[in-house]
Amino acid sequence: MKVLVTGASGVLGSAIYKAFQSAGYTVCGLAHSRSTVELKQLDLLNEDATKKLFNEFSPDWVIHCAAERRPDVAEKDPEGARRLNASVPAQLAVLSRDQGFTLIYISTDYVFDGTSPPYAPNAETTPLQLYGQSKRDGENAVRHVDGAKSIVLRVPVLYGPAPSNSDSAVNILLDIVKDQSKTYKMDHYASRFPTNVEDIASFLVRLSALDTTNIPPILHYSGEEKFTKYEICEIFGRVLDLKIDHIIADSSAPTGAGATTRPKDCQLDTRETKQLLEGDLRCSSFEAWWKRHLSERRLSA
């Protein structure tokens, strides 16, 4: 089986790329601005170049991780976010129809408004901000191309091994906990369900062994532990043995000029995914994973 991963230089894409390689699959990883000797450079907005590369590699599965994942950036460049998060998936769905591969579109819990969790895969999507709207539009694009074989996989906020902590909205909180030179106001309003990218990658490898006709068109995968960003900082403080007196909990909803609206609680209902995998998502314990990961980094430094 041949697997192509877009956004393979990102936190999620790199974990998926490595997991399929380790499982013995033939894998092609794509990157745009962070291509390497191993990862092929491709601008997915270039339709001709994309079609040519896909034809040459002839994948069985395409896992589409490339996206504008930052809500604040999406608000500043709405057209750019729509092109990457909606137009490109539509283009890949057409290629799925024409070339016969299965397209896995990575989406987000932010397609929901956060007012009535947990959300089932078939729940109505009512995104609050442009980022969620663009990802919802991407979902619709891949699902509505007749003849395309597509699966939407929604995931929440992600963490895991990363080239830079700034690549993850969770990992970056490590730097804030360490930086005790100034005061930070930290969200203690919205609930998050941080999910490990290595767990998602392992899940996709297991999914690839199933008959695709038995896989629902929309799947949810999520960690089950619930934290605010402030509570994540508390955990990092314990793991690093640092006080977090410089971090002030903010329990108010984000408001005011320049504040990107974020939902309060977008918990994803994963019961259908559990049934597909015979009841076991194999999600990491958040605090235990970070203790192990940071210990291994110290030992290898």
Side-chain angles (χ1 to χ4, degrees), residues 48-69:
D48 290 339
T50 300
K51 183 176 181 180
K52 181 175 184 292
L53 189 149
F54 277 52
N55 270 325
E56 290 173 351
F57 183 67
S58 187
D60 300 293
W61 265 35
V62 171
I63 304 174
H64 181 47
C65 301
E68 177 47 72
R69 58 177 178 77

Side-chain angles (χ1 to χ4, degrees), residues 114-291:
T115 60
S116 54
Y119 291 92
N122 63 353
E124 181 183 1
T125 53
T126 52
L128 295 179
Q129 82 292 89
L130 191 137
Y131 165 68
Q133 292 164 11
S134 68
K135 294 297 286 184
R136 184 269 318 276
D137 292 346
E139 290 186 7
N140 291 338
V142 302
R143 294 185 62 213
H144 294 154
V145 173
D146 290 340
K149 296 190 291 185
S150 62
I151 298 166
V152 172
L153 175 62
R154 295 185 185 128
V155 296
V157 66
L158 305 177
Y159 72 93
S164 169
N165 284 339
S166 61
D167 290 339
S168 159
V170 174
N171 291 34
I172 191 65
L173 300 179
L174 277 172
D175 295 339
I176 290 174
V177 169
K178 291 176 182 178
D179 180 14
Q180 310 215 349
S181 64
K182 58 183 179 180
T183 300
Y184 293 88
K185 185 181 287 187
M186 189 57 60
D187 178 25
H188 197 37
Y189 165 81
S191 297
R192 319 286 176 120
F193 292 82
T195 302
N196 192 293
V197 293
E198 293 177 328
D199 294 342
I200 297 171
S202 174
F203 160 70
L204 285 169
V205 171
R206 285 185 286 158
L207 196 69
S208 70
L210 302 180
D211 183 343
T212 54
T213 60
N214 295 328
I215 301 175
I218 302 176
L219 286 173
H220 287 173
Y221 188 96
S222 173
E224 298 179 325
E225 297 170 288
K226 179 179 180 178
F227 309 112
T228 65
K229 290 179 76 172
Y230 179 77
E231 289 168 337
I232 292 173
C233 289
E234 289 183 313
I235 291 171
F236 285 157
R238 289 198 298 270
V239 172
L240 297 169
D241 196 23
L242 292 173
K243 293 182 179 180
I244 62 165
D245 298 341
H246 63 299
I247 301 175
I248 309 302
D250 182 4
S251 299
S252 58
T255 58
T260 301
T261 304
R262 284 173 167 80
K264 181 172 175 58
D265 185 348
C266 285
Q267 182 181 9
L268 298 173
D269 187 332
T270 59
R271 284 177 294 181
E272 192 170 4
T273 310
K274 288 177 180 177
Q275 290 172 0
L276 191 66
L277 298 175
E278 299 180 349
D280 189 3
L281 291 185
R282 301 183 190 173
C283 292
S284 299
S285 160
F286 184 79
E287 186 165 350
W289 186 88
W290 277 106
K291 284 180 179 177

Side-chain angles (χ1 to χ4, degrees), residues 3-47:
V3 178
L4 186 148
V5 182
T6 73
S9 63
V11 178
L12 178 59
S14 60
I16 292 171
Y17 179 82
K18 291 173 184 174
F20 275 94
Q21 270 195 328
S22 297
Y25 291 79
T26 300
V27 189
C28 174
L30 305 182
H32 183 207
S33 60
R34 295 190 291 187
S35 59
T36 64
V37 173
E38 190 173 5
L39 302 180
K40 293 182 180 294
Q41 197 281 333
L42 180 69
D43 180 358
L44 291 167
L45 296 173
N46 185 329
E47 293 189 31

Side-chain angles (χ1 to χ4, degrees), residues 69-118:
R69 58 177 178 77
R70 300 161 295 180
D72 295 332
V73 173
E75 294 288 340
K76 294 173 184 176
D77 183 13
E79 287 309 309
R82 290 189 184 101
R83 284 196 301 271
L84 192 55
N85 291 352
S87 298
V88 167
Q91 167 195 335
L92 297 184
V94 171
L95 290 179
S96 166
R97 178 197 65 197
D98 295 345
Q99 299 182 12
F101 60 77
T102 297
L103 173 63
I104 311 295
Y105 173 66
I106 305 297
S107 191
T108 173
D109 57 345
Y110 272 25
V111 299
F112 300 114
D113 61 14
T115 60
S116 54

